[in-house]
Amino acid sequence: DTAVSQTPKYLVTQMGNDKSIKCEQNLGHDTMYWYKQDSKKFLKIMFSYNNKELIINETVPNRFSPKSPDKAHLNLHINSLELGDSAVYFCASSQATGRRETQYFGPGTRLLVL
Amino acid sequence: GESVGLHLPTLSVQEGDNSIINCAYSNSASDYFIWYKQESGKGPQFIIDIRSNMDKRQGQRVTVLLNKTVKHLSLQIAATQPGDSAVYFCAQAPGTYKYIFGTGTRLKVLA
């Protein structure tokens, strides 16, 4: 059983297109995240959601719009894709207990914008 | 700005030897630190964590040391095995929902 799953695993698309990445966790966690990992392996947090509400938006362009239909899902929609959006996008989840808690990551979505 | 940095981008270790991966962090407000392992084509995987009220924590073959005075974190892997080859990240948590990752160190285990 996969704890945090993402679809699709690979995404190749043209510049200017709109695409979505889906994430689901079956851990019963309250908090979910999106990260972007660039070609140099640098991992940067994009968004944090707690109980379906946006908590953190790390100055991500508004072309990126996360949506959380319920606590187990956090999807990422990207409008007007640019070459610089090419990266690996990771979803993660953690339990929210008021303390810092371990994050569990999905397998990643490899996005290539041509 | 805030950063979590690593001293060595690539570390090569002989199989069976001990590995030490170092990390410097800049945010004094962080009270929680984590080490992750990322294998090729996979997401980061939790290895071990430590809270700021501790200076050492041990797991199975891994030990994390925290020196708050110099803002330094290290991961020690005992008897390094080929399966330990991966990129290792340290991360700090200055807030409940915010995590800052370091740049990563690639560990290569030589047979």
Side-chain angles (χ1 to χ4, degrees), chain A residues 9 31 33 35 37 40-45 48-50 55-56 58 90 94 96-108 110, chain B residues 4 29-32 34 36 38-46 49 51 87 89 93-104 106:
Chain A
K9 186 171 183 179
T31 307
Y33 312 80
Y35 283 84
Q37 186 172 47
K40 297 180 180 178
K41 295 286 190 181
F42 186 65
L43 258 173
K44 184 170 169 56
I45 193 166
S48 297
Y49 264 74
N50 179 250
I55 302 297
I56 289 178
E58 284 291 306
F90 287 101
S94 67
T97 61
R99 301 174 63 189
R100 322 292 187 252
E101 295 293 343
T102 304
Q103 294 181 306
Y104 294 85
F105 283 80
R110 286 137 191 86
Chain B
V4 181
S30 295
D31 59 359
Y32 180 55
I34 318 105
Y36 287 92
Q38 186 177 22
E39 296 176 286
S40 181
K42 297 184 179 179
Q45 179 185 7
F46 171 84
D49 59 0
R51 299 194 186 274
V87 176
F89 293 94
T96 306
Y97 305 113
K98 182 169 182 175
Y99 297 81
I100 302 170
F101 277 72
T103 52
R106 186 176 300 280

Side-chain angles (χ1 to χ4, degrees), chain B:
Chain B
E2 297 178 323
S3 68
V4 181
L6 298 173
H7 298 308
L8 297 172
T10 303
L11 177 65
S12 296
V13 176
Q14 206 68 35
E15 182 179 355
D17 288 351
N18 297 334
S19 302
I20 300 177
I21 302 173
N22 295 303
C23 178
Y25 65 93
S26 60
N27 192 321
S28 302
S30 295
D31 59 359
Y32 180 55
F33 303 87
I34 318 105
W35 280 100
Y36 287 92
K37 173 186 181 183
Q38 186 177 22
E39 296 176 286
S40 181
K42 297 184 179 179
Q45 179 185 7
F46 171 84
I47 302 173
I48 192 168
D49 59 0
I50 189 168
R51 299 194 186 274
S52 58
N53 60 352
M54 303 172 70
D55 53 20
K56 181 179 180 180
R57 190 162 188 225
Q58 287 185 292
Q60 189 175 17
R61 282 202 307 121
V62 293
T63 300
V64 55
L65 298 177
L66 174 62
N67 186 330
K68 294 181 289 294
T69 303
V70 296
K71 298 180 191 172
H72 185 266
L73 193 69
S74 68
L75 175 70
Q76 299 178 1
I77 304 174
T80 311
Q81 303 169 358
D84 295 327
S85 293
V87 176
Y88 289 80
F89 293 94
C90 65
Q92 61 175 343
T96 306
Y97 305 113
K98 182 169 182 175
Y99 297 81
I100 302 170
F101 277 72
T103 52
T105 292
R106 186 176 300 280
L107 177 65
K108 291 185 178 179
V109 182
L110 308 173

Side-chain angles (χ1 to χ4, degrees), chain A residues 14-32:
Chain A
Q14 297 287 329
M15 206 165 48
N17 283 351
D18 304 337
K19 291 293 179 185
S20 291
I21 308 172
K22 295 187 176 182
C23 178
E24 176 181 3
Q25 54 95 3
N26 61 7
L27 297 167
H29 288 165
D30 295 321
T31 307
M32 297 184 72

Side-chain angles (χ1 to χ4, degrees), chain A:
Chain A
D1 289 340
T2 305
V4 182
S5 59
Q6 296 178 229
T7 55
K9 186 171 183 179
Y10 298 97
L11 186 52
V12 181
T13 188
Q14 297 287 329
M15 206 165 48
N17 283 351
D18 304 337
K19 291 293 179 185
S20 291
I21 308 172
K22 295 187 176 182
C23 178
E24 176 181 3
Q25 54 95 3
N26 61 7
L27 297 167
H29 288 165
D30 295 321
T31 307
M32 297 184 72
Y33 312 80
W34 277 109
Y35 283 84
K36 179 180 180 180
Q37 186 172 47
D38 63 22
S39 58
K40 297 180 180 178
K41 295 286 190 181
F42 186 65
L43 258 173
K44 184 170 169 56
I45 193 166
M46 300 172 68
F47 301 103
S48 297
Y49 264 74
N50 179 250
N51 282 318
K52 303 191 299 175
E53 292 193 13
L54 179 65
I55 302 297
I56 289 178
N57 178 340
E58 284 291 306
T59 60
V60 178
N62 57 15
R63 297 184 296 105
F64 291 79
S65 52
K67 284 188 172 51
S68 183
D70 54 60
K71 286 199 311 182
H73 296 84
L74 181 63
N75 304 323
L76 183 65
H77 187 76
I78 314 170
N79 289 325
S80 304
L81 278 155
E82 300 177 358
L83 296 176
D85 297 332
S86 296
V88 183
Y89 291 84
F90 287 101
C91 176
S93 72
S94 67
Q95 190 58 279
T97 61
R99 301 174 63 189
R100 322 292 187 252
E101 295 293 343
T102 304
Q103 294 181 306
Y104 294 85
F105 283 80
T109 295
R110 286 137 191 86
L111 171 65
L112 177 60
V113 183
L114 303 174

